[in-house]
Amino acid sequence: MIACALLCNAQAAFSATMYRCGNSFQDTPCVNHSYSKTLNTAAKPANGSEATKDLSPYVVDAGCKQRGDAAKKIMWQRQVGKTKEEQLEAAQDTQTHALVSEVYQHRGTILEVRNSIEQACMQQKEQDQLAEQLLLAAKKLKQRNGSPASAGPSGAASEQTTSNKP
């Protein structure tokens, strides 16, 4: 029994870092360090904690989370055999119609598709927020330069009429 326990622990102790160099694996870094990929060969815990871990890379707001959950439901329907056309016919609004099309463009597991839909939603929200900030900055700049500029065109028109009178 002790020998078996030592043998099991020895395997974990001897697990080393492996390097992937192209299509081969070795225990030393590649000659060309830029092409080396480190692989940890240590045993993964069997308690399933990694399987339940959320794979999304950053925090998702409530609207994008709902969109991701709706994408997950569409993927469930896809897995049971519903076609894109059937789901498009069942779509009640244009947002759902667009989401069905977007889901069917992605490949991967339900979790991967949900995460990519959520990420795309968050990126779109970030772009919308940036566009809004740029619009506000443009309005402020226009207001700051607007008062002299509003006098400028009328002043320019009067200058043209005076320049036409020799």
Side-chain angles (χ1 to χ4, degrees):
M1 184 101 130
I2 293 174
C4 184
L6 288 175
L7 184 61
C8 290
N9 288 334
Q11 182 181 10
F14 288 120
S15 66
T17 302
M18 295 293 292
Y19 298 92
R20 180 176 178 185
C21 302
N23 291 333
S24 65
F25 297 89
Q26 58 192 42
D27 59 349
T28 59
C30 304
V31 175
N32 182 3
H33 294 293
S34 64
Y35 197 65
S36 176
K37 182 175 181 181
T38 305
L39 303 172
N40 188 3
T41 59
K44 303 224 186 267
N47 62 4
S49 63
E50 288 194 18
T52 60
K53 187 171 83 170
D54 189 16
L55 299 176
S56 61
Y58 47 84
V59 178
V60 179
D61 75 344
C64 291
K65 180 126 181 83
Q66 286 179 344
R67 187 169 172 84
D69 290 340
K72 185 170 61 171
K73 291 176 184 175
I74 293 169
M75 281 295 292
W76 286 340
Q77 294 295 317
R78 183 179 181 181
Q79 282 187 339
V80 296
K82 286 242 181 166
T83 64
K84 179 180 178 180
E85 290 75 24
E86 291 173 333
Q87 291 201 40
L88 286 174
E89 287 176 11
Q92 298 173 353
D93 57 358
T94 57
Q95 290 178 342
T96 308
H97 193 276
L99 182 60
V100 168
S101 297
E102 189 176 354
V103 166
Y104 273 84
Q105 288 176 356
H106 291 291
R107 300 280 178 233
T109 65
I110 291 174
L111 219 98
E112 291 169 344
V113 171
R114 185 196 75 190
N115 287 340
S116 67
I117 297 291
E118 288 176 352
Q119 288 175 4
C121 178
M122 290 299 292
Q123 288 172 352
Q124 184 63 44
K125 285 193 177 207
E126 289 172 4
Q127 287 177 353
D128 291 346
Q129 186 179 20
L130 180 61
E132 186 178 323
Q133 289 173 354
L134 289 173
L135 186 61
L136 287 174
K139 284 182 181 179
K140 286 180 183 178
L141 185 62
K142 188 175 181 180
Q143 286 177 353
R144 194 172 8 160
N145 296 336
S147 55
S150 63
S154 62
S158 64
E159 286 178 14
Q160 287 178 351
T161 56
T162 56
S163 64
N164 290 339
K165 295 180 185 177

